[in-house]
Amino acid sequence: MAREAVPPEIARHAPLAPMYAHRFPLGAAVEPRHLEGADGHLLAWHFNAVVAENAMKPPRLQPAEGRFDFAAADRIVAFAEERGMTIRGHTLLWHEETPDWFWRAPGGGPASGHLVLERLRAHILAVVGRYRGRVHAWDVVNEVVDPAAPGCLRNDRWLQVVGPRYVEAAFRYAHEADPGARLFVNDFETTQPAKRDCLLGLVRDLRARGVPVHGMGHQMHVDVDRPSAREVDGTLAAFAALGLDNHVTELDMSLGPAPRRAPGDETALLARQAARYGEFFRVFAARPDVKAVTLWGLSDADTWLIRGARQGSGDKPLLFDANRQPKAAYREVAGAAR
Ligand code: 9MR
């Protein structure tokens, strides 16, 4: 995007990131299309950090073995670097986003655990190596924990084919590729006690074995009811007590399931949302272990909560409305910085 003057309808609102500059970078998840036009201006005006919502996922970066496509990811990185924004990397390993070729042996048939790990190493060295010194933190593994599983690790293909050591391997490869990068376990519902205990156990065990894990990524896809800011604070404290950094990696706040929303409810829900955003940011600002906060999108015009199967949900989870104008939530977040 050429650096044209910021349109007045954006420039008339105080930019958010500088209000938190003394505490943590404030980021948004974007697709390349958000680098243009009104979204590009909104991103550059209010945020000083960025993460690729999808462009750095393995099937995008390596759709076929050895064939890399960095075009979309590079555009996001270039936008950020031109503006001095920090960049998080998402993600190196996720059961939902592992290309099928990972699991196939060259002659057909299933790949061995050994081959899968070789492929993981090649992928991570290529990706983390390309952005070495530029992407400051990586979600190395995403959503690997399941409190209902016997050993707390999700019973997915990674576990079935490689066994539990895939987690450690991913961290070691990432560290090998960029010893300066901060490396994270990233997951959702980290305030849920059983899930939290699994995650605490996982990172404790990794650290005890000298695996380079530096932080916990808390997605925080929350809603207007749950979890409470106090529960969030308690969870952050539990990870900080292990000496880990906390990153809030995918924050958004759903108004809740559309069928349960009565007509006319929206005003009250948006007010509740605003108040809770304020409470959450007060917790983040008060905790030195919170080293980054990222919103999972820019505005209510385009978020995963209104795409695909959720189209028509009428959800409005972010700080800016569908016209890219600040919501009450923006004002509460700004207020919480003071
Ligand atoms: O927002 C993302 C959506 O556009 C993708 O279709 C989906 C599958 O790749 O992933 C969404 O982002 C997810 C993130 O990568 C991991 N945590 C949950 C996020 C929301 O589903």
Side-chain angles (χ1 to χ4, degrees):
M1 184 181 77
R3 295 241 230 147
E4 322 106 47
V6 184
E9 63 276 16
I10 287 175
R12 72 166 181 262
H13 302 289
L16 273 184
M19 303 177 199
Y20 286 93
H22 61 295
R23 281 293 302 108
F24 43 71
L26 184 67
V30 294
E31 298 274 32
R33 64 177 178 274
H34 301 123
L35 307 176
E36 311 287 338
D39 284 327
H41 286 300
L42 193 67
L43 175 63
W45 187 251
H46 286 289
F47 298 93
N48 58 3
V50 82
V51 63
E53 184 173 353
N54 290 299
M56 288 193 185
K57 290 175 180 169
R60 303 290 182 98
L61 292 182
Q62 198 181 174
E65 186 161 21
R67 185 162 69 73
F68 287 88
D69 180 358
F70 289 106
D74 280 353
R75 283 188 56 203
I76 294 171
V77 168
F79 182 99
E81 288 185 331
E82 281 163 21
R83 290 160 182 82
M85 303 165 85
T86 63
I87 307 160
R88 291 194 89 260
H90 176 85
T91 172
L92 301 173
L93 188 159
W94 182 17
H95 67 99
E96 269 189 37
E97 293 282 359
T98 303
D100 281 344
W101 60 259
F102 253 82
W103 310 113
R104 279 195 307 266
S112 67
H114 181 76
L115 177 58
V116 169
L117 276 189
E118 271 182 7
R119 287 169 167 168
L120 179 67
R121 181 163 181 272
H123 181 80
I124 291 179
L125 291 190
V127 172
V128 177
R130 183 181 187 88
Y131 300 116
R132 181 181 169 133
R134 300 156 76 197
V135 168
H136 75 101
W138 279 98
D139 293 332
V140 175
V141 295
N142 188 48
E143 302 177 15
V144 295
V145 153
D146 172 6
C152 279
L153 282 184
R154 183 186 291 277
N155 185 20
D156 61 11
R157 236 155 165 188
W158 284 98
L159 189 69
Q160 290 156 13
V161 176
V162 182
R165 71 196 163 122
Y166 77 87
V167 177
E168 165 170 355
F171 278 93
R172 292 203 187 276
Y173 302 152
H175 188 65
E176 178 185 350
D178 184 355
R182 307 290 289 170
L183 305 180
F184 284 72
V185 171
N186 191 49
D187 220 316
F188 60 94
E189 290 175 1
T190 59
T191 52
Q192 203 243 304
K195 182 94 176 257
R196 185 184 56 210
D197 289 347
C198 274
L199 285 162
L200 286 166
L202 175 69
V203 288
R204 212 183 275 122
D205 172 64
L206 289 168
R207 305 239 316 172
R209 285 185 292 113
V211 180
V213 182
H214 308 115
M216 183 64 214
H218 307 265
Q219 294 186 4
M220 289 202 206
H221 295 292
V222 300
D223 67 31
V224 288
D225 295 321
R226 274 173 303 271
S228 70
R230 229 176 114 234
E231 287 169 312
V232 168
D233 192 44
T235 285
L236 295 171
F239 287 92
L242 297 186
L244 293 168
D245 287 352
N246 285 305
H247 281 189
V248 177
T249 54
E250 307 183 13
L251 178 62
D252 54 16
M253 194 179 294
S254 170
L255 299 182
R260 280 204 256 127
R261 272 184 256 146
D265 273 0
E266 192 175 276
T267 316
L269 289 174
L270 288 170
R272 185 140 107 226
Q273 178 189 61
R276 273 170 56 70
Y277 259 118
E279 288 169 17
F280 275 49
F281 271 80
R282 253 175 237 112
V283 167
F284 304 156
R287 300 202 58 91
D289 47 273
V290 173
K291 301 254 166 81
V293 176
T294 308
L295 277 295
W296 204 242
L298 271 173
S299 83
D300 293 344
D302 186 10
T303 125
W304 71 289
L305 290 169
I306 62 167
R307 287 188 215 129
R310 295 184 168 88
Q311 226 172 9
S313 69
D315 216 340
K316 300 182 174 177
L318 294 165
L319 305 180
F320 299 92
D321 70 19
N323 297 315
R324 281 86 178 165
Q325 288 302 299
K327 295 162 62 180
Y330 157 92
R331 290 186 284 280
E332 289 296 329
V333 169
R338 289 192 285 271

PDB file of all heavy atoms in Angstrom, residues 31 53-54 57 90-91 94 96-97 142-143 186 219 221 250 296 304 307, ligand 1:
ATOM      1  N   GLU A  31      -5.130 -10.779   6.775  1.00  0.00           N
ATOM      2  CA  GLU A  31      -4.884 -11.437   5.498  1.00  0.00           C
ATOM      3  C   GLU A  31      -4.277 -10.369   4.587  1.00  0.00           C
ATOM      4  O   GLU A  31      -4.429  -9.170   4.854  1.00  0.00           O
ATOM      5  CB  GLU A  31      -6.222 -11.902   4.898  1.00  0.00           C
ATOM      6  CG  GLU A  31      -6.979 -12.918   5.748  1.00  0.00           C
ATOM      7  CD  GLU A  31      -6.548 -14.347   5.489  1.00  0.00           C
ATOM      8  OE1 GLU A  31      -5.353 -14.564   5.173  1.00  0.00           O
ATOM      9  OE2 GLU A  31      -7.387 -15.237   5.615  1.00  0.00           O
ATOM     10  N   GLU A  53      -3.221 -14.098   9.709  1.00  0.00           N
ATOM     11  CA  GLU A  53      -4.336 -14.938  10.171  1.00  0.00           C
ATOM     12  C   GLU A  53      -4.237 -16.334   9.563  1.00  0.00           C
ATOM     13  O   GLU A  53      -4.539 -17.327  10.241  1.00  0.00           O
ATOM     14  CB  GLU A  53      -5.685 -14.296   9.805  1.00  0.00           C
ATOM     15  CG  GLU A  53      -6.866 -15.081  10.338  1.00  0.00           C
ATOM     16  CD  GLU A  53      -8.207 -14.390  10.145  1.00  0.00           C
ATOM     17  OE1 GLU A  53      -8.230 -13.214   9.714  1.00  0.00           O
ATOM     18  OE2 GLU A  53      -9.240 -15.043  10.427  1.00  0.00           O
ATOM     19  N   ASN A  54      -3.832 -16.423   8.323  1.00  0.00           N
ATOM     20  CA  ASN A  54      -3.719 -17.737   7.664  1.00  0.00           C
ATOM     21  C   ASN A  54      -2.454 -17.915   6.818  1.00  0.00           C
ATOM     22  O   ASN A  54      -2.077 -19.045   6.518  1.00  0.00           O
ATOM     23  CB  ASN A  54      -4.942 -17.963   6.759  1.00  0.00           C
ATOM     24  CG  ASN A  54      -6.218 -18.175   7.562  1.00  0.00           C
ATOM     25  OD1 ASN A  54      -6.324 -19.123   8.350  1.00  0.00           O
ATOM     26  ND2 ASN A  54      -7.195 -17.291   7.405  1.00  0.00           N
ATOM     27  N   LYS A  57       0.347 -20.474   7.669  1.00  0.00           N
ATOM     28  CA  LYS A  57       0.037 -21.854   8.036  1.00  0.00           C
ATOM     29  C   LYS A  57       0.711 -22.807   7.040  1.00  0.00           C
ATOM     30  O   LYS A  57       0.856 -22.473   5.857  1.00  0.00           O
ATOM     31  CB  LYS A  57      -1.483 -22.045   8.079  1.00  0.00           C
ATOM     32  CG  LYS A  57      -2.087 -21.294   9.282  1.00  0.00           C
ATOM     33  CD  LYS A  57      -3.594 -21.321   9.342  1.00  0.00           C
ATOM     34  CE  LYS A  57      -4.050 -20.527  10.583  1.00  0.00           C
ATOM     35  NZ  LYS A  57      -5.514 -20.274  10.597  1.00  0.00           N
ATOM     36  N   HIS A  90       2.490 -17.436  13.079  1.00  0.00           N
ATOM     37  CA  HIS A  90       1.417 -18.379  13.413  1.00  0.00           C
ATOM     38  C   HIS A  90       1.164 -19.234  12.186  1.00  0.00           C
ATOM     39  O   HIS A  90       0.785 -18.689  11.166  1.00  0.00           O
ATOM     40  CB  HIS A  90       0.161 -17.604  13.788  1.00  0.00           C
ATOM     41  CG  HIS A  90      -1.039 -18.475  14.068  1.00  0.00           C
ATOM     42  ND1 HIS A  90      -1.278 -19.033  15.295  1.00  0.00           N
ATOM     43  CD2 HIS A  90      -2.068 -18.874  13.278  1.00  0.00           C
ATOM     44  CE1 HIS A  90      -2.401 -19.723  15.261  1.00  0.00           C
ATOM     45  NE2 HIS A  90      -2.903 -19.657  14.047  1.00  0.00           N
ATOM     46  N   THR A  91       1.344 -20.460  12.242  1.00  0.00           N
ATOM     47  CA  THR A  91       1.855 -21.346  13.269  1.00  0.00           C
ATOM     48  C   THR A  91       2.660 -22.444  12.592  1.00  0.00           C
ATOM     49  O   THR A  91       2.438 -22.726  11.408  1.00  0.00           O
ATOM     50  CB  THR A  91       0.697 -21.942  14.132  1.00  0.00           C
ATOM     51  OG1 THR A  91       1.195 -22.951  15.024  1.00  0.00           O
ATOM     52  CG2 THR A  91      -0.353 -22.600  13.264  1.00  0.00           C
ATOM     53  N   TRP A  94      -0.023 -27.513  13.461  1.00  0.00           N
ATOM     54  CA  TRP A  94      -1.419 -27.545  13.925  1.00  0.00           C
ATOM     55  C   TRP A  94      -2.105 -28.725  13.238  1.00  0.00           C
ATOM     56  O   TRP A  94      -2.042 -28.841  12.013  1.00  0.00           O
ATOM     57  CB  TRP A  94      -2.132 -26.227  13.578  1.00  0.00           C
ATOM     58  CG  TRP A  94      -3.547 -26.136  14.062  1.00  0.00           C
ATOM     59  CD1 TRP A  94      -4.155 -26.903  15.005  1.00  0.00           C
ATOM     60  CD2 TRP A  94      -4.543 -25.203  13.604  1.00  0.00           C
ATOM     61  NE1 TRP A  94      -5.464 -26.500  15.182  1.00  0.00           N
ATOM     62  CE2 TRP A  94      -5.725 -25.456  14.344  1.00  0.00           C
ATOM     63  CE3 TRP A  94      -4.544 -24.183  12.644  1.00  0.00           C
ATOM     64  CZ2 TRP A  94      -6.899 -24.738  14.143  1.00  0.00           C
ATOM     65  CZ3 TRP A  94      -5.712 -23.463  12.456  1.00  0.00           C
ATOM     66  CH2 TRP A  94      -6.885 -23.732  13.205  1.00  0.00           C
ATOM     67  N   GLU A  96      -5.039 -29.272  12.488  1.00  0.00           N
ATOM     68  CA  GLU A  96      -6.050 -28.901  11.483  1.00  0.00           C
ATOM     69  C   GLU A  96      -5.428 -28.393  10.189  1.00  0.00           C
ATOM     70  O   GLU A  96      -6.107 -28.300   9.178  1.00  0.00           O
ATOM     71  CB  GLU A  96      -6.955 -27.783  12.029  1.00  0.00           C
ATOM     72  CG  GLU A  96      -8.176 -28.292  12.734  1.00  0.00           C
ATOM     73  CD  GLU A  96      -9.148 -27.170  13.057  1.00  0.00           C
ATOM     74  OE1 GLU A  96      -9.300 -26.238  12.246  1.00  0.00           O
ATOM     75  OE2 GLU A  96      -9.748 -27.234  14.138  1.00  0.00           O
ATOM     76  N   GLU A  97      -4.207 -27.952  10.278  1.00  0.00           N
ATOM     77  CA  GLU A  97      -3.569 -27.333   9.119  1.00  0.00           C
ATOM     78  C   GLU A  97      -2.205 -27.962   8.853  1.00  0.00           C
ATOM     79  O   GLU A  97      -1.190 -27.298   8.835  1.00  0.00           O
ATOM     80  CB  GLU A  97      -3.436 -25.813   9.328  1.00  0.00           C
ATOM     81  CG  GLU A  97      -4.765 -25.061   9.352  1.00  0.00           C
ATOM     82  CD  GLU A  97      -5.362 -24.825   7.960  1.00  0.00           C
ATOM     83  OE1 GLU A  97      -4.742 -25.221   6.959  1.00  0.00           O
ATOM     84  OE2 GLU A  97      -6.466 -24.243   7.892  1.00  0.00           O
ATOM     85  N   ASN A 142       0.235 -25.440  17.965  1.00  0.00           N
ATOM     86  CA  ASN A 142      -1.079 -24.845  18.171  1.00  0.00           C
ATOM     87  C   ASN A 142      -2.096 -25.930  18.536  1.00  0.00           C
ATOM     88  O   ASN A 142      -2.220 -26.921  17.807  1.00  0.00           O
ATOM     89  CB  ASN A 142      -1.513 -24.142  16.871  1.00  0.00           C
ATOM     90  CG  ASN A 142      -2.774 -23.323  17.034  1.00  0.00           C
ATOM     91  OD1 ASN A 142      -2.893 -22.549  17.975  1.00  0.00           O
ATOM     92  ND2 ASN A 142      -3.733 -23.522  16.139  1.00  0.00           N
ATOM     93  N   GLU A 143      -2.769 -25.743  19.662  1.00  0.00           N
ATOM     94  CA  GLU A 143      -3.899 -26.602  20.039  1.00  0.00           C
ATOM     95  C   GLU A 143      -3.522 -28.080  20.134  1.00  0.00           C
ATOM     96  O   GLU A 143      -4.229 -28.940  19.620  1.00  0.00           O
ATOM     97  CB  GLU A 143      -5.074 -26.373  19.067  1.00  0.00           C
ATOM     98  CG  GLU A 143      -5.504 -24.910  19.054  1.00  0.00           C
ATOM     99  CD  GLU A 143      -6.621 -24.576  18.054  1.00  0.00           C
ATOM    100  OE1 GLU A 143      -7.275 -25.504  17.548  1.00  0.00           O
ATOM    101  OE2 GLU A 143      -6.843 -23.379  17.799  1.00  0.00           O
ATOM    102  N   ASN A 186       0.615 -22.473  21.913  1.00  0.00           N
ATOM    103  CA  ASN A 186      -0.573 -21.618  21.749  1.00  0.00           C
ATOM    104  C   ASN A 186      -1.825 -22.472  21.884  1.00  0.00           C
ATOM    105  O   ASN A 186      -1.898 -23.552  21.310  1.00  0.00           O
ATOM    106  CB  ASN A 186      -0.528 -20.967  20.357  1.00  0.00           C
ATOM    107  CG  ASN A 186      -1.548 -19.855  20.177  1.00  0.00           C
ATOM    108  OD1 ASN A 186      -1.659 -18.972  21.024  1.00  0.00           O
ATOM    109  ND2 ASN A 186      -2.300 -19.892  19.084  1.00  0.00           N
ATOM    110  N   GLN A 219      -5.122 -17.872  23.350  1.00  0.00           N
ATOM    111  CA  GLN A 219      -5.888 -17.369  22.204  1.00  0.00           C
ATOM    112  C   GLN A 219      -6.925 -16.336  22.647  1.00  0.00           C
ATOM    113  O   GLN A 219      -7.070 -15.293  22.055  1.00  0.00           O
ATOM    114  CB  GLN A 219      -6.553 -18.528  21.462  1.00  0.00           C
ATOM    115  CG  GLN A 219      -5.537 -19.472  20.803  1.00  0.00           C
ATOM    116  CD  GLN A 219      -6.175 -20.549  19.948  1.00  0.00           C
ATOM    117  OE1 GLN A 219      -7.401 -20.580  19.763  1.00  0.00           O
ATOM    118  NE2 GLN A 219      -5.364 -21.443  19.427  1.00  0.00           N
ATOM    119  N   HIS A 221     -10.396 -16.496  22.542  1.00  0.00           N
ATOM    120  CA  HIS A 221     -11.653 -16.332  21.817  1.00  0.00           C
ATOM    121  C   HIS A 221     -12.746 -16.413  22.874  1.00  0.00           C
ATOM    122  O   HIS A 221     -13.268 -17.491  23.170  1.00  0.00           O
ATOM    123  CB  HIS A 221     -11.814 -17.426  20.759  1.00  0.00           C
ATOM    124  CG  HIS A 221     -10.776 -17.328  19.679  1.00  0.00           C
ATOM    125  ND1 HIS A 221     -10.764 -16.285  18.785  1.00  0.00           N
ATOM    126  CD2 HIS A 221      -9.712 -18.106  19.375  1.00  0.00           C
ATOM    127  CE1 HIS A 221      -9.734 -16.435  17.959  1.00  0.00           C
ATOM    128  NE2 HIS A 221      -9.082 -17.538  18.304  1.00  0.00           N
ATOM    129  N   GLU A 250      -5.019 -14.231  20.232  1.00  0.00           N
ATOM    130  CA  GLU A 250      -6.125 -14.235  19.249  1.00  0.00           C
ATOM    131  C   GLU A 250      -7.387 -13.629  19.852  1.00  0.00           C
ATOM    132  O   GLU A 250      -8.501 -14.123  19.636  1.00  0.00           O
ATOM    133  CB  GLU A 250      -6.412 -15.665  18.764  1.00  0.00           C
ATOM    134  CG  GLU A 250      -5.193 -16.394  18.233  1.00  0.00           C
ATOM    135  CD  GLU A 250      -5.480 -17.792  17.679  1.00  0.00           C
ATOM    136  OE1 GLU A 250      -6.666 -18.136  17.462  1.00  0.00           O
ATOM    137  OE2 GLU A 250      -4.506 -18.549  17.484  1.00  0.00           O
ATOM    138  N   TRP A 296      -7.831 -10.859  17.056  1.00  0.00           N
ATOM    139  CA  TRP A 296      -7.951 -11.794  15.923  1.00  0.00           C
ATOM    140  C   TRP A 296      -8.793 -11.174  14.809  1.00  0.00           C
ATOM    141  O   TRP A 296      -9.883 -11.644  14.489  1.00  0.00           O
ATOM    142  CB  TRP A 296      -8.494 -13.142  16.369  1.00  0.00           C
ATOM    143  CG  TRP A 296      -8.086 -14.257  15.423  1.00  0.00           C
ATOM    144  CD1 TRP A 296      -8.928 -15.046  14.677  1.00  0.00           C
ATOM    145  CD2 TRP A 296      -6.759 -14.707  15.122  1.00  0.00           C
ATOM    146  NE1 TRP A 296      -8.192 -15.945  13.929  1.00  0.00           N
ATOM    147  CE2 TRP A 296      -6.861 -15.756  14.182  1.00  0.00           C
ATOM    148  CE3 TRP A 296      -5.485 -14.303  15.536  1.00  0.00           C
ATOM    149  CZ2 TRP A 296      -5.743 -16.422  13.657  1.00  0.00           C
ATOM    150  CZ3 TRP A 296      -4.369 -14.969  15.014  1.00  0.00           C
ATOM    151  CH2 TRP A 296      -4.509 -16.004  14.092  1.00  0.00           C
ATOM    152  N   TRP A 304     -13.382 -14.198  11.473  1.00  0.00           N
ATOM    153  CA  TRP A 304     -13.709 -15.619  11.293  1.00  0.00           C
ATOM    154  C   TRP A 304     -15.086 -15.933  11.862  1.00  0.00           C
ATOM    155  O   TRP A 304     -15.728 -16.889  11.446  1.00  0.00           O
ATOM    156  CB  TRP A 304     -12.632 -16.489  11.953  1.00  0.00           C
ATOM    157  CG  TRP A 304     -12.625 -16.467  13.461  1.00  0.00           C
ATOM    158  CD1 TRP A 304     -12.249 -15.426  14.266  1.00  0.00           C
ATOM    159  CD2 TRP A 304     -13.020 -17.523  14.331  1.00  0.00           C
ATOM    160  NE1 TRP A 304     -12.389 -15.776  15.589  1.00  0.00           N
ATOM    161  CE2 TRP A 304     -12.847 -17.057  15.665  1.00  0.00           C
ATOM    162  CE3 TRP A 304     -13.491 -18.820  14.130  1.00  0.00           C
ATOM    163  CZ2 TRP A 304     -13.150 -17.846  16.781  1.00  0.00           C
ATOM    164  CZ3 TRP A 304     -13.777 -19.609  15.243  1.00  0.00           C
ATOM    165  CH2 TRP A 304     -13.615 -19.120  16.545  1.00  0.00           C
ATOM    166  N   ARG A 307     -17.583 -15.569   8.980  1.00  0.00           N
ATOM    167  CA  ARG A 307     -17.283 -16.196   7.691  1.00  0.00           C
ATOM    168  C   ARG A 307     -17.843 -17.616   7.653  1.00  0.00           C
ATOM    169  O   ARG A 307     -18.171 -18.187   8.674  1.00  0.00           O
ATOM    170  CB  ARG A 307     -15.771 -16.278   7.467  1.00  0.00           C
ATOM    171  CG  ARG A 307     -15.149 -14.940   7.157  1.00  0.00           C
ATOM    172  CD  ARG A 307     -13.680 -15.152   6.749  1.00  0.00           C
ATOM    173  NE  ARG A 307     -12.910 -14.035   7.233  1.00  0.00           N
ATOM    174  CZ  ARG A 307     -11.786 -14.145   7.942  1.00  0.00           C
ATOM    175  NH1 ARG A 307     -11.290 -15.328   8.230  1.00  0.00           N
ATOM    176  NH2 ARG A 307     -11.160 -13.068   8.342  1.00  0.00           N
TER     177      ARG A 307
HETATM  178  O1  9MR B   1      -9.379 -17.246  11.489  1.00  0.00           O
HETATM  179  C1  9MR B   1      -8.851 -18.391  10.844  1.00  0.00           C
HETATM  180  C2  9MR B   1      -9.752 -18.838   9.713  1.00  0.00           C
HETATM  181  O2  9MR B   1      -9.779 -17.852   8.693  1.00  0.00           O
HETATM  182  C3  9MR B   1      -9.265 -20.172   9.157  1.00  0.00           C
HETATM  183  O3  9MR B   1     -10.204 -20.650   8.205  1.00  0.00           O
HETATM  184  C4  9MR B   1      -9.104 -21.198  10.278  1.00  0.00           C
HETATM  185  C5  9MR B   1      -8.507 -22.502   9.754  1.00  0.00           C
HETATM  186  O4  9MR B   1      -7.187 -22.319   9.338  1.00  0.00           O
HETATM  187  O5  9MR B   1      -8.249 -20.685  11.271  1.00  0.00           O
HETATM  188  C6  9MR B   1      -8.729 -19.504  11.867  1.00  0.00           C
HETATM  189  O6  9MR B   1      -7.840 -19.085  12.876  1.00  0.00           O
HETATM  190  C7  9MR B   1      -7.715 -19.980  13.969  1.00  0.00           C
HETATM  191  C8  9MR B   1      -6.269 -19.952  14.404  1.00  0.00           C
HETATM  192  O7  9MR B   1      -5.422 -20.228  13.324  1.00  0.00           O
HETATM  193  C9  9MR B   1      -6.031 -20.921  15.558  1.00  0.00           C
HETATM  194  N1  9MR B   1      -6.952 -20.699  16.637  1.00  0.00           N
HETATM  195  C10 9MR B   1      -8.371 -20.606  16.277  1.00  0.00           C
HETATM  196  C11 9MR B   1      -8.562 -19.569  15.179  1.00  0.00           C
HETATM  197  C12 9MR B   1     -10.041 -19.384  14.849  1.00  0.00           C
HETATM  198  O8  9MR B   1     -10.577 -20.584  14.368  1.00  0.00           O
END
